[in-house]
Amino acid sequence: MERVSVTDDLLARRFTEHRAHLLGVAYRLTGTLADAEDAVQEAWLRLSGLDPAARAEIRELRGWLTTVVSRIALDRLRSAAAQRERYVGPWLPEPVVTPLPGQPGEDPLDAVVRDDGVRLAALVVLDRLTPEQRVAFVLHDAFGLPFAEIAEVLGCEVATARQYASRARRAVADADPPSRQSLRDQRAVVEEFIAAVNAGDVPAVVRLLHPDVAVVGDGGGKAKTALRPLHGADKVARFLLGLVRKYGVVPHLAGRPVLVNGDIGLALPGTPGDGEHPPLTSRVTAFTVRDGRIAAIYDIANPDKLTRVRF
C-alpha cells in the first residue's frame, strides 16, 4: 500500500500528477469549471495542511483526493440545486472550449474533455439527477470507486449508495444520450448543415436535422437566446431560418470552429450590429450528432459562463 510521507515539494509534485483527474471528477460532478477548480484547490489545501503523521495515514493518494474533491463537489451541487430554481431559462453546463486538433494553443483541459462523459449531451442528462444520484453514478460507473467509499462521501449506508447509482443509471439509459461521433463525421455534418441554413435550403436543413432534434439556449436572463427548448426538425428549421432573416446570420451557427467539451462547436464574439441588423452577443454553440444528423444544438450565451473563453 502507498503511504504519503514526503516533503512539501514532493507532495506538491505528486498532487499535480493527479490534478487533471481531480478536475475531471469535479467538473463532471458540478458542471462548472469554477466549482471544479475551487474543489481541486480546496483538496490541495486540506492535503498540504495535514501534519506528517496524518499524511502517513493516507494509503492511496489518488483515492484520498478523489474522495475529498467529491465531498466538496457534493456540497456545491446541493447549494446549486436551490440556486437553479431561480435561474432564468434553461441551465447548461459551463462549456470547456479548446482548440481543434492541429490548431496552436494546447490547453491543460484537453485531457479532461477527451472523456466521453463530459460531452454536453451527457452532462445535460446528469443535471437532471439529484446530487446524491449524480455523485453515486459518476464515482462508481465512471471512476470505479467502491460503494463503501461512495457511501462515506454521501454520508449514507452502502445499500443506499447502490440505490442512488441504480436510479441514476436507469435515468441515463432512459435519456439515451448519443455517444460521441468522430470529429471528422461531426465536422462534415455541421458544415453541410450551416451551409444549408445560410442558403435558406429548407428541405436540406430538415434532412440534416434528427427528427427529435432539440435547441437549448442558456442566457441566464443576461443574453438573448431561446427562452425555452425547441424540439422537432420542422420547428427548429423554422426557428433557425427566422434568425437568418432577422440577423443576416444565425448567431448559433456563426463564429470560429472550436471544440466544446470535446465535440465540434463554434465560438462567436459579440458584434455591435448595424442599421440593418441588431447586435449579437458573444456565445458558444455546441452540436450533438446522431446517425449523421444534428440531434442537439446547445447555445450558451450567459456571459458568466464565458469568462474563460478566448474569442
Side-chain angles (χ1 to χ4, degrees):
M1 287 288 186
E2 174 192 33
R3 293 283 185 174
V4 179
S5 179
V6 295
T7 65
D8 288 345
D9 287 344
L10 180 56
L11 186 68
R13 289 199 296 272
R14 293 181 63 186
F15 177 84
T16 300
E17 293 172 0
H18 300 298
R19 190 176 185 280
H21 161 76
L22 298 173
L23 194 58
V25 171
Y27 177 66
R28 195 184 291 197
L29 290 178
T30 64
T32 72
L33 283 170
D35 284 344
E37 291 179 342
D38 286 350
V40 173
Q41 179 63 19
E42 177 63 25
W44 163 248
L45 293 175
R46 294 186 187 185
L47 176 64
S48 60
L50 295 176
D51 60 43
R55 291 180 190 175
E57 291 299 313
I58 299 175
R59 293 181 176 274
E60 200 272 314
L61 184 59
R62 185 184 181 96
W64 186 90
L65 288 168
T66 300
T67 298
V68 171
V69 163
S70 300
R71 285 173 175 156
I72 298 168
L74 177 61
D75 290 340
R76 298 296 178 96
L77 270 177
R78 287 169 171 165
S79 175
Q83 296 174 5
R84 289 179 196 173
E85 293 178 0
R86 302 186 296 274
Y87 197 79
V88 178
W91 188 96
L92 289 171
E94 180 183 350
V96 180
V97 178
T98 53
L100 291 174
Q103 291 183 345
E106 285 295 317
D107 192 290
L109 291 168
D110 283 347
V112 174
V113 298
R114 290 190 198 108
D115 196 305
D116 193 57
V118 300
R119 66 196 191 282
L120 283 185
L123 291 177
V124 167
V125 174
L126 292 183
D127 197 53
R128 301 171 189 165
L129 306 175
T130 68
E132 293 77 14
Q133 289 172 351
R134 184 169 184 165
V135 169
F137 173 74
V138 169
L139 292 184
H140 183 267
D141 287 39
F143 295 104
L145 260 68
F147 279 114
E149 295 181 23
I150 296 171
E152 290 184 17
V153 172
L154 296 175
C156 66
E157 298 294 329
V158 173
T160 304
R162 290 181 183 275
Q163 190 174 57
Y164 283 137
S166 178
R167 290 174 178 172
R169 202 174 294 118
R170 287 196 298 270
V172 171
D174 289 343
D176 187 30
S179 59
R180 177 175 286 166
Q181 306 298 298
S182 73
L183 289 180
R184 176 182 295 180
D185 290 346
Q186 289 184 49
R187 192 162 191 173
V189 172
V190 170
E191 288 178 350
E192 185 179 0
F193 176 67
I194 291 173
V197 172
N198 288 332
D201 188 341
V202 177
V205 171
V206 173
R207 175 177 57 81
L208 289 164
L209 290 171
H210 193 276
D212 298 325
V213 64
V215 171
V216 183
D218 180 348
K222 300 180 180 182
K224 287 187 176 181
T225 186
L227 286 175
R228 288 178 292 276
L230 299 169
H231 297 276
D234 289 336
K235 184 178 292 186
V236 168
R238 290 196 302 270
F239 170 72
L240 295 176
L241 294 170
L243 291 177
V244 172
R245 291 190 293 270
K246 180 176 181 179
Y247 291 98
V249 297
V250 180
H252 310 51
L253 306 183
R256 172 175 57 92
V258 293
L259 294 182
V260 182
N261 290 53
D263 288 328
I264 293 293
L266 300 166
L268 173 69
T271 60
D274 52 36
E276 186 177 356
H277 304 295
L280 299 175
T281 55
S282 299
R283 63 213 318 120
V284 166
T285 302
F287 302 91
T288 296
V289 174
R290 184 197 290 262
D291 301 327
R293 291 182 285 183
I294 304 292
I297 301 173
Y298 299 108
D299 185 50
I300 303 167
N302 184 343
D304 295 341
K305 297 185 178 182
L306 303 177
T307 58
R308 302 164 190 267
V309 180
R310 294 188 293 271
F311 289 102

